[in-house]
Amino acid sequence: MDLDYSADERAFRDEVRAWLATNLPPALRDKVARYGHLTRDELMTWHRILAAQGWVAPAWPTEWGGTPWNVVQRYLFEEECGYAGAPPLMPFGLAMCAPVLLKFGSDAQKARFLPRIYRGDDFWCQGYSEPGSGSDLASLRTSAVRTGDRYVVNGQKIWTTLAHMADWIFCLVRTDATRDRRQDGISFLLIDMKSPGITVRPLILMDGAHEVNEVFFDDVEVPVENRVHDEGSGWTVAKYLLGHERMNTARIGTSKRELEQLKTFAAAQRKDGKSLLDDPRFRDKLSRLEIELTALAITNLRFLDRLRGGRPPGAEVSMLKIKGTEIQQRLTELMLEAAGPLAQVVGPADGDTESDDLLAALAPRYCNMRKTTIYAGSNEIQRNIVAKHVLGL
Ligand SMILES: Cc1cc2nc3c(=O)[nH]c(=O)nc-3n(C[C@H](O)[C@H](O)[C@H](O)COP(=O)(O)OP(=O)(O)OC[C@H]3O[C@@H](n4cnc5c(N)ncnc54)[C@H](O)[C@@H]3O)c2cc1C
């Protein structure tokens, strides 16, 4: 097993790093560094800069705009973007719907949707979860009844991230409720969010942010041509997509940057002539976190080495999700601890200084990041997967 980057890979990393230093707009970088909530415009600005460079969808086939990068280069690119403080690329179109279309979509569906996703013309959201159907997704009840060349959709989705910004939603719906096996009778539909009968209602998270929504469908008509794969094959599509979703949750580059930020921040917290980094208890916590992050990065390199050799990572990818999200949460806890009472700024910062903005964002950020161990399949479910498929329990 080779866990070192080759000379070519290091050269590639330097090229990406140099490009980011010139092309990442400072205003976006600063907002990310202060944990600001990005608007659709800000998210799509970065998307379009990468699209213009030809780097927005490295994993896609080259005929659709992907890069010829190998799996290590793709990882290095992601890590460098995270480390530089680039806005996240929204995965719903690029990394969820597109891989599904590439694998299961008709030629007409690919031609219609992929270029628009690539350019950032359409903003997508994911309609899987329903009340009572999160971990137990196969129990979903939103129904789609076929009448002629349309489906009529009725039901409700929940926790739909950024549905209020979205042009399209991909949904799992039940097209046949008579099947014994619950996984059968589910289909995968692409639905225009402007369709009559769709209502989006905000769910405000504990930090006060509007990120997720309830989406209601009342007699929403969807053309049959918007179904991906065969009727009743939605579960096959869903499982394929979930594997992609979990590959994207470790966010190692972002955590590396936030660890640096935490160290700088802690070094600046001084009392009686000493910095917080001189406190052995705090240093101990910081070191443990750094060791965990280093171990995660090495684990990730092990998976990359497997992928480089053409072997799929399999269920172990759940380990990346578990550890990656735990580290993200721990970072917010230690930032809060380092700030101490200074983090008690309530409400929007008065904007006097950048450091006020950062302090004001710490407690909301701490609250917001509790979500990471729930979404993309909760960490308890990931542990079940590891226990069953990796440890054979
Ligand atoms: C911020 C956020 C954004 C989200 N965005 C989206 C989105 O865009 N689209 C979408 O479709 N969904 C989205 N989700 C939904 C997410 O996928 C579900 O919340 C998640 O799958 C858990 O489902 P649930 O909320 O119904 O909880 P439940 O499934 O009811 O689980 C409740 C608790 O029980 C545990 N549990 C459940 N079953 C087991 C088991 N078998 N063994 C051990 N423990 C178990 C869970 O881990 C959890 O702690 C989002 C969720 C959040 C919080």
Side-chain angles (χ1 to χ4, degrees):
M1 186 178 303
D2 184 2
L3 296 184
D4 252 345
Y5 293 126
S6 67
D8 282 353
E9 286 161 357
R10 282 197 296 272
F12 172 81
R13 185 183 57 196
D14 294 344
E15 182 197 336
V16 171
R17 199 172 279 184
W19 184 85
L20 285 166
T22 329
N23 291 282
L24 173 58
L28 289 182
R29 192 193 52 217
D30 293 348
K31 193 161 180 187
V32 169
R34 278 179 278 126
Y35 309 121
H37 284 283
L38 298 167
T39 62
R40 173 177 163 149
D41 268 359
E42 287 166 332
L43 291 167
M44 294 325 272
T45 296
W46 180 236
H47 179 119
R48 291 192 185 110
I49 290 172
L50 286 177
Q53 172 70 6
W55 287 359
V56 83
W60 291 17
T62 44
E63 65 193 283
W64 290 105
T67 63
W69 300 343
N70 64 27
V71 67
V72 177
Q73 288 172 308
R74 295 208 302 259
Y75 168 71
L76 282 172
F77 174 70
E78 251 176 54
E79 181 171 315
E80 286 305 317
C81 285
Y83 193 68
L89 283 174
M90 287 299 100
F92 307 109
L94 285 171
M96 295 185 179
C97 190
V100 159
L101 290 173
L102 286 162
K103 174 98 176 153
F104 302 105
S106 66
D107 287 347
Q109 286 170 337
K110 288 180 198 166
R112 179 175 173 201
F113 292 108
L114 290 176
R116 295 186 61 83
I117 292 176
Y118 192 93
R119 291 193 303 263
D121 295 344
D122 294 331
F123 195 103
W124 283 79
C125 63
Q126 177 190 25
Y128 272 25
S129 308
E130 299 182 7
S133 304
S135 306
D136 184 19
L137 189 57
S139 67
L140 64 91
R141 281 169 304 173
T142 294
S143 71
V145 177
R146 187 163 173 172
T147 49
D149 61 354
R150 332 228 111 211
Y151 288 104
V152 179
V153 178
N154 280 286
Q156 181 196 345
K157 297 291 172 182
I158 195 167
W159 307 119
T160 322
T161 301
L162 304 185
H164 55 299
M165 299 182 182
D167 306 299
W168 285 84
I169 182 168
F170 54 85
C171 277
L172 288 177
V173 294
R174 193 162 292 285
T175 38
D176 184 352
T178 63
R179 304 295 293 264
D180 287 342
R181 223 178 131 257
R182 295 180 312 166
Q183 288 82 352
D184 297 333
I186 293 175
S187 298
F188 191 94
L189 293 187
L190 312 177
I191 305 180
D192 186 339
M193 288 294 281
K194 289 184 293 299
S195 311
I198 294 186
T199 310
V200 178
R201 221 160 57 191
L203 289 170
I204 302 303
L205 294 180
M206 64 200 282
D207 63 341
H210 178 194
E211 263 178 43
V212 293
N213 303 272
E214 295 176 289
V215 182
F216 298 89
F217 299 85
D218 292 302
D219 289 331
V220 175
E221 293 194 7
V222 181
V224 169
E225 71 204 35
N226 287 12
R227 189 193 68 231
V228 180
H229 206 9
D230 300 331
E231 188 170 292
S233 298
W235 195 249
T236 309
V237 180
K239 278 195 300 185
Y240 178 77
L241 197 151
L242 285 174
H244 275 265
E245 189 175 359
R246 279 166 205 154
M247 287 289 284
N248 296 322
T249 42
R251 295 173 65 227
I252 295 170
T254 304
S255 290
K256 282 187 177 173
R257 175 175 48 78
E258 291 187 1
L259 183 70
E260 293 302 319
Q261 189 172 15
L262 171 61
K263 284 185 190 169
T264 312
F265 186 74
Q269 307 308 307
R270 304 192 74 82
K271 199 176 158 198
D272 302 332
K274 290 188 165 183
S275 108
L276 191 55
L277 289 184
D278 296 319
D279 176 344
R281 276 162 307 190
F282 191 81
R283 234 179 24 229
D284 177 52
K285 291 176 196 170
L286 197 63
S287 310
R288 281 171 194 271
L289 183 61
E290 186 156 15
I291 290 166
E292 295 247 309
L293 182 55
T294 308
L296 177 70
I298 291 171
T299 308
N300 192 62
L301 288 173
R302 275 176 37 219
F303 291 134
L304 289 180
D305 189 58
R306 286 179 61 159
L307 288 169
R308 198 161 33 184
R311 286 167 295 153
E316 295 94 331
V317 83
S318 294
M319 284 160 48
L320 297 179
K321 201 268 165 172
I322 296 169
K323 266 296 158 204
T325 53
E326 284 177 356
I327 288 169
Q328 287 158 40
Q329 291 189 342
R330 191 76 185 119
L331 279 162
T332 67
E333 288 158 21
L334 289 187
M335 269 306 261
L336 209 51
E337 189 176 326
L342 292 175
Q344 284 184 10
V345 183
V346 181
D350 56 18
D352 273 359
T353 66
E354 276 186 23
S355 121
D356 280 350
D357 283 353
L358 180 67
L359 287 170
L362 292 183
R365 168 83 172 170
Y366 167 87
C367 293
N368 185 278
M369 291 303 276
R370 301 304 99 191
K371 70 189 176 187
T372 61
T373 46
I374 303 172
Y375 64 37
S378 75
N379 283 19
E380 289 78 22
I381 295 297
Q382 303 308 318
R383 285 196 171 82
N384 285 350
I385 293 171
V386 172
K388 196 167 162 195
H389 298 287
V390 183
L391 304 175
L393 300 176

